[in-house]
Amino acid sequence: MRPTRGIEEFFDEDLKTKIDEFSQAKGQINAVPVVTGKPWATEDLKKKSFEDLHKLWFVLIKERNMLATEILRYKAQPEISKMFGVNTRLKKVRKSMARIQGLLHLRKHEYHRYLGLLKLKELKDNNIPLPKKERKQLLIQPSLPEDVLFKRRVRSFYMVNKNKLKRKLLHRMQHHNNKLGKRFDHRLSIAPVHLEKAKERAIAKAERRKLRDVKREELLREKEEIITKQIEEQQAKKQQA
């Protein structure tokens, strides 16, 4: 069988043959769409190297251009494209391409973050203060003692809960006064019982956040180890080449 070359890659001859047979039969046979698999999952794409993703990207571009050509070919009969699954195939291709793009952006972000963390580690080893701007860019929280961080979180969550109670009470009072045809512009005072409950919820949330931080640190450490190994492997390949 002769391989397709050049402009022939923009057309699906198997699909054209099936559509011609369906058109000539005039409804006597059913439309049989081309069987395709599901779009590429992110978990499968994560296992591939940059070179493999690059090759897959161009394969998907060819498939996308071919399907777009087929849609234009039967533009006057859009129901044929739907019956033979051309639109569905195009959606799968676009979804796969979007996932590849997202994965490459994520890898780029993690790579630059790793380089920034290396730079900050050198500054820390030399007892040089960390620049505030770079710390913000790399999403590094200021190193505070655990008790200070816990108190800050409790105060922040307490104010959020208190403001929620105020808004609820304000809406309820305004609704009640609107029924009576009165204007409500008084200061609000929340009962101490409700404030105590708000503080208890704030403390419980701060404790949950403390446990979450421990898990996040473990995940970040694992990610950094994986990225370090990948960079070392790439550097070793470059040296061998």
Side-chain angles (χ1 to χ4, degrees):
M1 184 178 177
R2 188 176 66 84
T4 55
R5 293 190 181 89
I7 200 169
E8 294 176 354
E9 295 182 358
F10 285 90
F11 300 95
D12 191 345
E13 293 301 326
D14 294 336
L15 179 65
K16 185 177 181 300
T17 305
K18 288 184 177 182
I19 292 174
D20 290 342
E21 290 175 358
F22 177 76
S23 301
Q24 290 171 8
K26 295 181 180 180
Q28 294 180 4
I29 60 173
N30 295 325
V32 182
V34 178
V35 180
T36 56
K38 60 183 181 180
W40 280 88
T42 308
E43 294 299 323
D44 296 331
L45 293 172
K46 282 180 180 178
K47 299 173 186 176
K48 295 193 172 293
S49 63
F50 178 76
E51 289 77 12
D52 292 339
L53 290 175
H54 199 68
K55 292 173 185 175
L56 180 59
W57 177 262
F58 279 102
V59 171
L60 291 170
I61 284 178
K62 282 184 178 181
E63 185 75 10
R64 184 194 66 182
N65 293 341
M66 184 267 292
L67 293 171
T69 306
E70 294 298 333
I71 288 172
L72 284 173
R73 179 191 280 183
Y74 301 102
K75 189 176 181 180
Q77 298 171 303
E79 65 277 358
I80 288 181
S81 299
K82 290 180 181 179
M83 290 168 66
F84 284 87
V86 180
N87 295 334
T88 308
R89 288 169 64 188
L90 187 58
K91 283 180 184 177
K92 290 178 183 179
V93 170
R94 285 177 175 167
K95 193 176 283 187
S96 300
M97 293 177 76
R99 286 172 180 170
I100 290 174
Q101 273 189 325
L103 181 60
L104 291 176
H105 282 305
L106 180 63
R107 286 185 182 179
K108 181 182 176 183
H109 171 73
E110 292 292 335
Y111 176 72
H112 286 295
R113 187 172 185 274
Y114 173 77
L115 295 179
L117 289 171
L118 279 182
K119 184 181 175 183
L120 292 180
K121 186 176 181 299
E122 290 176 3
L123 294 174
K124 194 174 181 181
D125 292 341
N126 296 325
N127 295 324
I128 301 172
L130 304 179
K132 189 175 181 182
K133 185 179 178 181
E134 293 187 10
R135 200 170 59 215
K136 278 188 175 181
Q137 287 176 351
L138 298 169
L139 304 175
I140 299 173
Q141 298 292 336
S143 56
L144 296 170
E146 287 188 6
D147 55 342
V148 175
L149 186 62
F150 185 78
K151 286 178 182 178
R152 283 191 180 186
R153 282 177 171 170
V154 170
R155 185 168 65 248
S156 174
F157 296 147
Y158 173 69
M159 291 306 298
V160 170
N161 293 333
K162 186 178 176 182
N163 290 332
K164 281 183 181 178
L165 288 172
K166 275 188 175 181
R167 284 196 298 272
K168 284 181 180 179
L169 182 60
L170 178 64
H171 291 323
R172 190 163 63 246
M173 296 298 290
Q174 283 178 343
H175 182 66
H176 179 70
N177 281 269
N178 287 339
K179 281 184 176 180
L180 300 174
K182 297 180 181 180
R183 182 179 173 184
F184 180 77
D185 53 0
H186 307 291
R187 290 188 63 183
L188 293 172
S189 59
I190 303 171
V193 179
H194 296 304
L195 292 177
E196 283 295 325
K197 287 182 179 178
K199 192 167 186 180
E200 288 174 5
R201 287 198 298 270
I203 292 170
K205 190 172 181 181
E207 288 174 351
R208 290 197 302 270
R209 190 64 61 88
K210 191 176 178 181
L211 295 173
R212 190 198 69 178
D213 288 345
V214 175
K215 292 179 181 179
R216 277 191 173 180
E217 285 177 5
E218 291 176 359
L219 290 172
L220 283 172
R221 202 178 301 113
E222 290 175 2
K223 279 185 180 179
E224 286 173 6
E225 288 176 0
I226 292 168
I227 293 168
T228 307
K229 287 180 182 178
Q230 288 177 350
I231 291 173
E232 288 175 356
E233 288 174 0
Q234 289 175 2
Q235 289 176 350
K237 285 181 182 178
K238 286 181 181 178
Q239 289 176 359
Q240 288 176 1

